[in-house]
Amino acid sequence: MPPLKLTLVVAVALIDTDNRILLAQRPEGKQLAGLWEFPGGKVEPGERPEETLIRELREELGIAVKEPCLAPLTFASFAYETFHLLMPLYVCRRWEGFVQPLEGQALAWVKPQDLRSYPMPPADEPLIPFLIDLVGP
Ligand code: 9L3
Ligand code: MG
């Protein structure tokens, strides 16, 4: 088998003042459509991962995040059929503006203990226990 190309994607757990975590549903037409994920996206050439997240959060959710408000928590490492995904997960409790579904995606604020009821991409699922450890159930 040829080696799988390593793809770097960054994701974030936005946590509100009630300790709920934001999930976004992947839109129709995209790969993994309908599954609920931690928001984020591919790191583009020349970007630092933190810059990617700040850009994605502005484009997809209309919020402004400052780099010091992004704290690394853990990462996902998952072999898809055609590439290997490496995905750092940041947590963020502080942002400016209101979260809006700017790309028509459904959004849900979810208690950590309820994250398991949302069908997720396989890469995202193993991240749940880290969030329960961090914020409690
Ligand atoms: N992905 C998985 N979980 C996530 C994110 C943000 C992304 N929480 C996967 C889905 C795609 C790839 O990473 O296979 C690139 O994401 P996108 O650019 O299609 O959103
Ligand atoms: Mg994205």
Side-chain angles (χ1 to χ4, degrees):
M1 272 210 303
L4 288 179
K5 190 172 164 280
L6 192 62
T7 299
L8 183 60
V9 172
V10 275
V12 66
L14 287 181
I15 306 176
D16 74 4
T17 49
D18 295 326
N19 278 342
R20 295 176 313 170
I21 294 164
L22 187 73
L23 291 181
Q25 193 173 30
R26 292 182 62 83
E28 285 313 312
K30 268 197 173 182
Q31 186 195 12
L32 305 167
L35 298 182
W36 294 85
E37 68 179 11
F38 300 106
K42 274 197 188 89
V43 177
E44 302 293 347
E47 271 183 337
R48 289 179 298 108
E50 294 81 6
E51 290 174 330
T52 304
L53 259 191
I54 290 168
R55 174 179 57 73
E56 293 273 345
L57 290 169
R58 176 169 30 82
E59 292 173 354
E60 295 181 357
L61 300 171
I63 58 172
V65 173
K66 294 203 167 72
E67 197 162 324
C69 300
L70 293 171
L73 179 65
T74 183
F75 65 92
S77 175
F78 187 83
Y80 283 94
E81 287 283 310
T82 51
F83 63 95
H84 191 100
L85 177 75
L86 188 64
M87 187 173 75
L89 179 73
Y90 290 78
V91 293
C92 176
R93 290 183 179 271
R94 194 174 298 213
W95 57 87
E96 283 162 36
F98 293 95
V99 169
Q100 310 157 68
L102 293 185
E103 296 186 338
Q105 72 280 43
L107 299 175
W109 289 99
V110 183
K111 293 238 169 265
Q113 62 188 353
D114 297 333
L115 288 169
R116 290 228 173 270
S117 357
Y118 289 76
M120 282 186 177
D124 293 55
E125 254 167 35
L127 302 171
I128 295 174
F130 292 91
L131 289 164
I132 294 176
D133 278 353
L134 181 76
V135 304

